[in-house]
């Protein structure tokens, strides 16, 4: 059940509109632009004036006349040409807070008609180390995954490995040059290949760089790579066995990075899994007469009435499939096998044209009727100079190195193990600190990303992102740990949580902010924009700090007042913990830092 204050006020408005014979689709409020004047405002009268053939102020006055005698409202008034200002009563605010306090979902409703949503994010490539460019897709996708699940949708997440294209042929070709004696390259051999490769993902990355350089400089090398690609895709036993090793090494390394970020997937499908479905796509295109052969390649021409768009190449002249084809085929699989209602992709916004082409081709093919396809493109992670984040030597920053760099920065603010009380040994303290370092570093990285609008790039500020003050992940974590400490002290003083009773402006401001939780999460879900939650969490933590400084729990004038404030503190702790969880961030029970 949605226990938000806004929902309650909207229900009152709905009843009022029905009594007055007004169109109820306008019966809603928004948070006031002038909190000094009101808590909510309703602009419906201006929208209703034309259809009702009345002056908007007259309509607003009739609405106010029905609302002003309701004890849920302290003050209802008309302003300007017909704006309705509403200040809720403390009676209603108390009731909403107490209902939220006893609700395991903190007053948040679930989606009325849940769907099956497939999320495509992460997108690492086989035989390449993950780099900073993979951070945003992983972090944003994981947050949306958690939000969708929390609201009741069935979510299936898939990282969609790049494991099937020409780069694989290039790497196999390069390994062949280094080890021509290996049995993988014997065209007569069918089985009994080595069970592993003596390579790490770091070494495979270097091999790929060498192969890429060679193919750029040598047409014969490019042609050889294309031939090998076609052979391993067609099932050449040795090439396929070698490819499987490359994939296994890469997936193991990728999982390590994702685990470090607390990012998780239901499926690890790759382009290879869609290979057979690519033939089905070709067949459907031919049957619907929407494909044609152009210079030996099979293509689908797209609508260019609004802007020029390259055709989708389904099959190249050499018989190979393209990234377009595997993505289209993957849509078919997600519809037929996963029964997706919605498929959402999280990639660099520079891939927007690719997805426009894929989505239009899917529509022409008719393979995903009634399925919503959406691409969410994000900006780049930049260095202090505003350019894509690089290492000191100018190379692309590896994701693992960025995580370690973040941990080192957080570790600078931690006390040494022998300076911390409450542990049975220095080793136990060390283990706790290292776990805390990991939690804070990941929180700092994720929050710095998610506090920014998805479409915008942002600068990774290594000197600021892990601070315990300002708009950072550690600041929110510290706020939660502070409330935990308050609750422990209250428990020791035998102060029990009781009904919320608003007395002070600081209590009222905190309760009003807490009451917005459900609408904030639903707005984040609708916009697919985690920065909405980040902003709300930061503001809520600030408001709590002001509340606690002005409204003491331990020194309250009465036990009822102390119990009320303790309940507000506990709700705030639970809300902040939920918000961090929806951002993919853990909330430590206790925070440590150097004095």
């Amino acid at each position: 059940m949605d226990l938000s204050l806004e929902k309650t006020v909207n229900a009152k408005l709905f009843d009022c509109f029905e009594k007055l014979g007004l169109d109820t689709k306008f019966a809603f409020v928004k948070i006031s632009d002038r909190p000094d004047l009101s808590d909510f405002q309703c602009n419906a009268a201006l929208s209703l004036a034309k259809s009702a053939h009345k002056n908007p102020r007259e309509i607003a006055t009739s609405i106010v006349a029905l609302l002003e005698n309701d004890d849920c409202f302290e003050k209802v008034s008309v302003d300007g040409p017909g704006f309705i200002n509403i200040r809720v009563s403390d009676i209603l605010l108390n009731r909403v807070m107490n209902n939220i306090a006893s609700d395991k979902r903190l007053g948040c409703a679930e989606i009325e008609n849940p769907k099956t949503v497939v999320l495509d994010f992460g997108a690492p490539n086989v035989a390449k180390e993950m780099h900073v460019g993979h951070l945003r897709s992983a972090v944003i996708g994981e947050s949306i995954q958690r939000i969708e699940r929390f609201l009741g949708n069935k979510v299936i997440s898939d990282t969609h490995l790049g494991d099937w294209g020409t780069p694989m042929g290039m790497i196999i070709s390069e390994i062949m040059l280094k080890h021509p004696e290996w049995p993988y390259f014997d065209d007569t051999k069918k089985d009994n290949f080595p069970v592993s490769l003596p390579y790490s993902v770091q070494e495979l990355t270097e091999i790929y760089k060498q192969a890429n350089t060679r193919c750029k400089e040598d047409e014969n090398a490019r042609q050889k790579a294309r031939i090998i690609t076609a052979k391993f895709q067609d099932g050449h036993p040795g090439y396929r066995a070698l490819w499987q090793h490359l994939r296994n090494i890469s997936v193991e390394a990728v999982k390590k990075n994702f685990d470090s970020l607390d990012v998780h997937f239901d499926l690890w499908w790759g382009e290879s899994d869609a290979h057979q479905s690519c033939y089905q796509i070709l067949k459907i295109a031919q049957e619907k007469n929407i494909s044609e052969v152009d210079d030996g390649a099979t293509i689908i021409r797209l609508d260019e009435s609004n802007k020029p768009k390259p055709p989708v190449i389904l099959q190249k002249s050499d018989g190979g499939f393209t990234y377009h084809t595997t993505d289209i085929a993957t849509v078919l699989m997600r519809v037929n096998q996963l029964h997706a209602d919605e498929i959402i992709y999280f990639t660099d916004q520079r891939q927007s044209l690719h997805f426009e082409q894929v989505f239009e081709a899917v529509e022409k093919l008719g393979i995903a009727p009634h399925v919503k396809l959406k691409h969410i493109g994000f900006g780049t992670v930049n260095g202090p100079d505003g350019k894509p984040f690089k290492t000191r030597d100018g190379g692309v920053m590896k994701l693992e190195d960025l995580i370690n760099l973040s941990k080192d920065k957080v570790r600078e603010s931690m006390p040494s193990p022998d300076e911390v009380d409450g542990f049975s040994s220095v080793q136990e303290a060390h283990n706790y600190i290292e776990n805390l370092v990991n939690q804070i570093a990941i929180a700092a990285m994720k929050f710095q990303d998610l506090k920014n609008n998805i479409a915008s790039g942002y600068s990774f500020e290594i000197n600021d992102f892990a601070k315990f003050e300002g708009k950072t992940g550690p600041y929110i974590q510290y706020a939660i740990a502070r409330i935990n400490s308050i609750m422990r002290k209250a428990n020791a003083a035998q102060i029990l949580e009781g009904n919320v009773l608003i007395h002070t402006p600081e209590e009222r401001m905190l309760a009003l902010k807490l009451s917005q939780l459900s609408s904030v999460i639903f707005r984040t879900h609708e916009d697919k924009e985690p920065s909405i939650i980040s902003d709300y969490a930061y503001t809520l933590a600030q408001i709590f700090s002001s509340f606690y400084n002005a409204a003491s729990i331990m020194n309250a004038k009465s036990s009822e007042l102390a119990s009320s404030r303790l309940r507000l503190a506990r709700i705030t702790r639970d809300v902040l913990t939920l918000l961090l969880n929806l951002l993919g961030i853990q909330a430590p029970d206790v925070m440590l830092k150097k004095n």
Side-chain angles (χ1 to χ4, degrees), residues 5-6 8-9 29 37-40 70-76 85-94 96 508 511-512 515:
L5 188 61
E6 188 174 327
T8 303
V9 174
V29 294
L37 296 178
S38 63
D39 302 323
F40 299 99
D70 193 320
D71 66 3
C72 287
F73 306 115
E74 181 179 304
K75 183 180 179 182
V76 188
N85 290 320
I86 299 172
R87 181 179 171 88
V88 299
S89 67
D90 289 346
I91 293 173
L92 175 59
L93 201 50
N94 291 338
V96 169
R508 193 174 202 283
L512 282 169
S515 74

Side-chain angles (χ1 to χ4, degrees), residues 323-335:
Y323 292 124
H324 286 117
T325 325
T326 54
D327 275 344
I328 294 167
T330 302
V331 170
L332 180 65
M333 294 170 64
R334 288 168 174 168
V335 172

Side-chain angles (χ1 to χ4, degrees), residues 451-493:
K451 73 181 182 182
N452 295 280
N453 185 279
I454 287 177
S456 303
Y458 71 94
S459 294
F460 192 92
E461 299 289 350
I462 191 67
N463 292 321
D464 297 330
F465 83 118
K467 288 183 177 179
F468 287 84
E469 61 276 344
K471 195 174 182 180
T472 69
Y475 174 75
I476 312 297
Q477 290 178 312
Y478 189 76
I480 294 170
R482 183 186 184 192
I483 299 174
N484 286 332
S485 176
I486 292 167
M487 294 181 69
R488 284 191 290 270
K489 290 177 182 177
N491 183 61

Side-chain angles (χ1 to χ4, degrees), residues 143-158:
S143 178
I144 298 300
Q145 172 172 221
R146 293 178 181 221
I147 292 164
E148 294 282 342
R149 284 206 171 105
F150 177 73
L151 291 178
N153 278 333
K154 177 183 178 181
V155 179
I156 303 171
S157 54
D158 178 18

Side-chain angles (χ1 to χ4, degrees), residues 417-418 420-435 592:
D418 57 0
V420 182
D421 297 326
F423 295 94
S424 60
S425 67
V426 173
Q427 184 61 48
E428 184 182 351
H430 170 79
N431 292 342
Y432 184 87
I433 289 171
E434 283 304 301
N435 184 55
L592 302 174

Side-chain angles (χ1 to χ4, degrees), residues 528-587:
K528 301 294 183 284
E529 184 57 75
S531 64
I532 296 171
I533 282 179
S534 302
D535 288 342
Y536 175 70
Y538 174 61
T539 304
L540 178 59
Q542 287 183 306
I543 291 173
F544 177 82
S545 181
S546 298
F547 154 80
Y548 187 66
N549 291 333
S552 173
I553 295 174
M554 304 303 294
N555 299 314
K557 293 181 179 179
S558 68
S559 59
E560 289 81 9
L561 194 55
S563 296
S564 168
R565 291 172 178 172
L566 183 61
R567 170 162 285 186
L568 282 173
R570 194 267 297 171
I571 297 172
T572 304
R573 189 273 312 269
D574 291 350
V575 167
L576 287 174
T577 302
L578 170 62
L579 295 170
L580 285 192
N581 179 265
L582 294 178
L583 296 176
I585 295 172
Q586 297 179 23

Side-chain angles (χ1 to χ4, degrees), residues 13 16-17 20 22 42-46 48-49 54-68 76-85:
L13 266 182
C16 178
F17 276 44
L20 294 171
L22 300 173
C42 175
N43 304 332
L46 281 76
L48 290 164
K54 290 181 180 180
N55 181 287
R57 191 172 177 88
E58 180 185 350
I59 296 172
T61 301
S62 65
I63 295 170
V64 167
L66 286 179
L67 294 177
E68 59 187 358
V76 188
S77 62
V78 180
D79 188 33
F83 301 118
I84 300 173
N85 290 320

